[in-house]
Amino acid sequence: MHELPFAGLLAVLFVIAFTRGGATYAVGRAAVAGGRRAQRLRARLDGPTMRRAESFAARWGVFAVPFSFLTVGVQTAINLSAGATRVPLRRYVPALALGAVFWAVLYATVGLAAVAAALSLAATSPWAAAAAGMAVVVAVVLLRRRGRRSPSTSTSTSTSTSRAELPTTSDAHQGRATSATSTPPPESVVASPAPADVAEAEDLALARLLASAPTGTSFAYGDEPDQVAERFGTDDAPTVVVVHGGYFRPRTDRRHARPFAAGLAERGLDVVLAEYRRRPGDPDAAVDDLRALDLYLRSTGTPPVAYVGHSAGGTLALLRALADDLPPVGAVALAPLSDLTLDVDRSGGVGPVVEWIGATPAARPEAYARLDPARRMAAGARPGGRLVVVHGDIDGVVPVGDSSDLRWPSGTDVRVLPGAHHFDVVDPTSPHVAAVYDAVESCARS
């Protein structure tokens, strides 16, 4: 390759980068269609590198693709994420081409010069080359460890500080104000300091929930495999339906919500943990499933009095609370995705919400008018029962501003928990969950 003219070298490197990135995108896209059944691929999609890539992509949108070619360690994950979230080819291909140009120029200049220097050193002094290589490896390892252990530069648990650091909303969302009632957490809940790495703390909490998942008594409320639920407690108490989160993705089921449901049942409630269909491009399947579960429970003499939803499950719980063709119920939304349009804007027009609904708000405005709680409430929809919203102020998945800054219907009880992250509100081992259980019990028995 050193013998090629510079233009020819750039062309070869461009083709290599473009082909590799495109193939990775194709693998990610295939994963959505069924590749996640393969355990090794599923582990890759759920791993920490993929989580960092999805976070980077959520912040920068399609621009994350070209800039990923200037990084080390997340380039593959970014392109895999672009495929998994079905970034349209008309947007992905130009971004990939720009990234391939970045990569070709970088390696045609600095990269190949470094390789040539290493080969020259190896030819003249193999031991010196080995020592230099070992020094590079040690330096990389030390830097990675230091990065993992270094404290976050943002450790404030102040609600006002958290709001200031949130991404700005689009013009369509400017001027939002809180008209709901804001309630501080009970004094019994001691606010823990923000962890050095919120994302790592959330990953550890999720792993802990999955590792300690008790099972309830299963029953089917429909014919589809995902139309099942588990009952915790006894059916002679007020019935509460728990709806798990997971950004509506097929690979995330109800398992991580089992400890929360079991802990809630210990408060003397009849808890039904719902599973539902999570089909990309078919969002109504999830809404229809919860309606079917609601009707099934009423037909068996255990009508639900409240719905408790976490994250994406909070979206579904809010939609059930706003339904005017079903009996009124209370709802407790925990770190909810309450504004789907804002989430799409924040992610640059890609991401899990677009994947779930199958299009952007501009492409399917009627779907967002039906499925976006913020839009429903802005159009005048009101909950039939009591509505409580609980959100941690250091949430690394759904920003606290999605709850604290939203214009909720009058009477909504909005509670911000200082020092709580995304899974603290559903983790029975968290010091914050007692406040959540109190809110649910109060809603169910009011």
Side-chain angles (χ1 to χ4, degrees):
M1 294 182 66
H2 282 285
E3 297 176 357
L4 292 173
F6 186 72
L9 179 60
L10 282 177
V12 171
L13 292 174
F14 174 87
V15 170
I16 292 173
F18 190 90
T19 303
R20 180 178 179 272
T24 306
Y25 170 89
V27 170
R29 196 175 180 97
V32 174
R36 288 192 178 102
R37 295 191 186 100
Q39 293 299 318
R40 294 182 67 181
L41 180 57
R42 177 173 179 172
R44 180 66 178 273
L45 288 171
D46 288 333
T49 300
M50 191 66 179
R51 290 180 184 273
R52 289 195 297 271
E54 288 180 343
S55 177
F56 184 66
R59 180 176 182 182
W60 296 104
V62 75
F63 296 106
V65 174
F67 287 112
S68 71
F69 283 83
L70 302 178
T71 67
V72 177
V74 297
Q75 182 186 132
T76 298
I78 289 288
N79 285 277
L80 194 65
S81 176
T85 55
R86 293 179 175 268
V87 174
L89 286 172
R90 67 180 183 277
R91 301 180 64 186
Y92 174 74
V93 171
L96 173 62
L98 181 59
V101 169
F102 288 166
W103 189 86
V105 171
L106 179 65
Y107 277 84
T109 55
V110 179
L112 288 182
V115 171
L119 291 175
S120 176
L121 179 62
T124 57
S125 178
W127 288 107
M134 183 62 68
V136 170
V137 170
V138 171
V140 169
V141 171
L142 291 176
L143 286 174
R144 287 178 65 88
R145 287 183 177 178
R146 182 180 180 182
R148 291 174 180 172
R149 295 175 180 175
S150 61
S152 172
T153 58
S154 176
T155 58
S156 172
T157 58
S158 167
T159 303
S160 60
T161 300
S162 298
R163 293 178 192 169
E165 293 173 352
L166 294 177
T168 56
T169 57
S170 65
D171 292 339
H173 297 83
Q174 292 294 341
R176 300 190 306 168
T178 303
S179 61
T181 303
S182 180
T183 304
E187 292 180 358
S188 60
V189 176
V190 179
S192 59
D197 188 341
V198 173
E200 183 177 356
E202 290 172 337
D203 285 346
L204 291 174
L206 177 57
R208 183 168 58 251
L209 291 171
L210 289 170
S212 60
T215 57
T217 303
S218 298
F219 64 90
Y221 62 88
D223 297 329
E224 294 286 337
D226 282 331
Q227 291 177 326
V228 296
E230 294 179 41
R231 173 166 265 127
F232 296 81
T234 60
D235 57 8
D236 58 354
T239 300
V240 173
V241 176
V242 173
V243 188
H244 71 83
Y247 252 133
F248 312 106
R249 286 168 168 151
R251 70 177 184 257
T252 306
D253 58 18
R254 66 188 182 280
R255 287 176 299 162
H256 69 280
R258 283 171 172 161
F260 175 78
L264 193 57
E266 292 178 359
R267 291 288 192 110
L269 296 173
D270 171 34
V271 181
V272 174
L273 174 58
E275 191 57 87
Y276 54 93
R277 288 174 292 174
R278 305 165 306 287
R279 292 179 176 174
D282 184 15
D284 291 308
V287 178
D288 291 344
D289 283 354
L290 289 186
R291 294 176 66 90
L293 174 60
D294 195 286
L295 295 173
Y296 174 86
L297 292 173
R298 294 181 187 281
S299 70
T300 59
T302 56
V305 297
Y307 277 68
V308 183
H310 175 235
S311 195
T315 306
L316 299 173
L318 289 171
L319 292 176
R320 173 59 186 90
L322 297 172
D324 57 7
D325 59 341
L326 289 173
V329 294
V332 180
L334 308 174
L337 275 168
S338 53
D339 192 334
L340 301 185
T341 306
L342 174 60
D343 190 84
V344 173
D345 290 345
R346 189 164 50 223
S347 63
V350 297
V353 171
V354 174
E355 179 183 343
W356 180 55
I357 294 182
T360 62
R364 288 191 66 186
E366 78 292 344
Y368 284 83
R370 287 184 294 105
L371 300 170
D372 188 341
R375 288 196 179 197
R376 291 283 306 278
M377 291 183 290
R382 294 294 179 265
R386 184 181 178 189
L387 177 57
V388 182
V389 180
V390 184
H391 212 130
D393 74 342
I394 60 168
D395 193 315
V397 179
V398 180
V400 65
D402 286 20
S403 293
S404 61
D405 295 343
L406 186 65
R407 189 181 296 278
W408 296 97
S410 177
T412 302
D413 185 359
V414 180
R415 307 183 183 188
V416 175
L417 302 182
H421 59 61
H422 191 64
F423 290 102
D424 273 330
V425 295
V426 292
D427 183 357
T429 67
S430 166
H432 304 279
V433 81
V436 176
Y437 283 155
D438 288 342
V440 175
E441 191 172 10
S442 174
C443 186
R445 299 186 187 278
S446 61

